[in-house]
Amino acid sequence: MTTTNAVRLRRPAPQVLAGSREAVDPALRAAAGTLPGSMRRIVGYHLGWNDEHGRPTAGAAGAGGKAIRPALVLLAAEAAGGCAESALPAAVAVELVHNFSLLHDDVMDGDLTRRHRPTAWSVFGRNPAILAGDALLTLAFDVLAGSGHPAAGPAARMLGAAVQDLVDGQSADMVFENRTDVGLPECMRMARLKTGALFGCACATGAAFGGGGPDTVERLRGFGERLGLVFQLVDDLLGIWGDPDATGKPAFSDLHNRKKSLPVVAALASGSPAGRELAELYHRAQPLSAVDVVRAADLVDAAGGRTWVRATTGEMLADALRQLPDTAAGGPAGCAVAELAALARLIASRDR
């Protein structure tokens, strides 16, 4: 990841993600190293740095995640006219919050696999994993406060607001599991809160650390919020039809949990025979068998859930790209904006 405003070549999106991980990882490790020992072990395991005994691991590709949110922070700083290096504390803070949410989500959903390994709670227990998530959330704000950057205070308020939205969205997601009348508008709102808020915060804090003015910060926030919805739409497809070797989760994982994901809700709201059969299957008392979840996936598809999500993903991607600030092509800021657009297109195409 570039650290100055010198002219640089535009990078393909996979290289942007790799560069972001390379830039952020040392600072992320340094921050995690300040945690109490009991928390370091769990966090290190969750992030793929060590095994359950605390021994360093060779680290499979992607063990620590895709680093999408840190990449957005660093690119937004450059798009706002600053340099990526100045925004490293914000990138670390956003990644810490993201992993706080993952630790808690896995406990709440009862998921046994993440990033091709047993989830932290299934290894260390539910309560220790919850505490590790709490530790990461606290550490995120400590990283911002300790940065000494003039934008640290506003960024902390942005991050706090994003966490509140994230929690609200996660609460709605859990409530939906016990309801039979979830509509698409409220499901879209849940996705905007649960995922879009932190994506928007990543771009806004990056822009603030890059010295961007209010208009630039808000435009990049708008881009991030819409991109977060794109991410969730595609993630919901992968939660049903994703390749376990790529997702790190079992096949049909969302259907096993009877999640009211966007393709499922679109199918249930279709009014079609397939949608009605899906409702009968999804809302019955007994657990879904392996045969049931395969049938449920076929019904979601037949009722138009996959088609609706892909069409909506295209609309949201176009809307996100319209939010990007106008910058001179060829300069560092213009290069960063082009890379943000390329990253957005990569995120939208993950299920292809």
Side-chain angles (χ1 to χ4, degrees):
M1 182 64 65
T2 185
T3 60
T4 74
N5 278 335
V7 175
R8 63 172 174 82
L9 296 177
R10 176 181 163 185
R11 301 160 297 168
Q15 187 178 336
V16 168
L17 291 175
S20 171
R21 173 57 69 197
E22 182 180 354
V24 171
D25 192 66
L28 188 62
R29 286 176 180 265
T34 67
L35 292 170
S38 57
M39 297 296 100
R40 283 201 307 273
R41 181 178 169 194
I42 300 172
V43 167
Y45 174 84
H46 170 73
L47 291 172
W49 298 338
N50 55 252
D51 64 17
E52 65 272 26
H53 304 294
R55 298 175 298 213
T57 57
K66 295 175 284 293
I68 290 173
R69 292 157 190 82
L72 291 175
V73 174
L74 301 179
L75 287 176
E78 292 186 290
C83 67
E85 185 178 37
S86 69
L88 272 175
V92 170
V94 168
E95 185 71 346
L96 289 169
V97 166
H98 172 53
N99 282 282
F100 137 76
S101 73
L102 296 183
L103 282 163
H104 283 202
D105 282 357
D106 287 343
V107 172
M108 288 183 281
D109 293 341
D111 286 340
L112 297 175
T113 306
R114 179 172 293 281
R115 298 168 180 165
H116 309 282
R117 298 208 299 175
T119 47
W121 78 264
S122 69
V123 174
F124 299 99
R126 292 178 181 272
N127 292 341
I130 291 171
L131 291 173
D134 294 341
L136 290 184
L137 179 60
T138 303
L139 182 60
F141 289 95
D142 185 62
V143 167
L144 285 178
S147 71
H149 195 285
R157 289 190 290 274
M158 293 179 197
L159 192 60
V163 171
Q164 295 288 359
D165 283 343
L166 186 158
V167 169
D168 190 14
Q170 177 66 17
S171 174
D173 193 21
M174 295 173 62
V175 169
F176 289 173
E177 293 180 26
N178 298 315
R179 284 178 47 190
T180 61
D181 59 343
V182 179
L184 270 174
E186 60 181 333
C187 195
M188 289 284 281
R189 176 185 177 274
M190 176 272 290
R192 286 190 180 94
L193 293 171
K194 181 180 176 181
T195 307
L198 191 57
F199 269 69
C201 178
C203 292
T205 55
F209 268 70
D215 180 67
T216 299
V217 170
E218 288 310 308
R219 290 194 66 168
L220 284 165
R221 182 199 303 277
F223 164 78
E225 288 174 345
R226 290 159 177 82
L227 181 58
L229 190 50
V230 168
F231 181 94
Q232 189 61 59
L233 284 159
V234 177
D235 216 47
D236 283 356
L237 289 182
L238 294 173
I240 299 176
W241 294 286
D243 180 357
D245 289 339
T247 65
K249 289 188 174 184
F252 308 119
S253 60
D254 282 358
L255 296 180
H256 277 291
N257 293 330
R258 303 196 207 204
K259 300 285 284 186
K260 296 296 195 310
S261 63
L262 285 159
V264 168
V265 173
L268 292 172
S270 68
S272 65
R276 289 191 288 273
E277 184 181 343
L278 176 67
E280 293 175 3
L281 183 63
Y282 226 60
H283 298 137
R284 70 187 190 186
Q286 57 266 45
L288 298 183
S289 68
V291 173
D292 291 334
V293 295
V294 172
R295 179 58 179 164
D298 290 341
L299 291 170
V300 173
D301 201 6
R306 176 148 51 177
T307 299
W308 180 87
V309 166
R310 284 183 169 165
T312 305
T313 297
E315 295 169 4
M316 289 294 111
L317 173 63
D319 194 14
L321 295 176
R322 284 192 291 269
Q323 308 306 313
L324 287 170
D326 300 320
T327 54
C335 186
V337 168
E339 289 177 352
L340 283 168
L343 183 56
R345 295 187 180 98
L346 177 66
I347 288 170
S349 66
R350 287 180 302 141
D351 70 312
R352 306 292 175 162

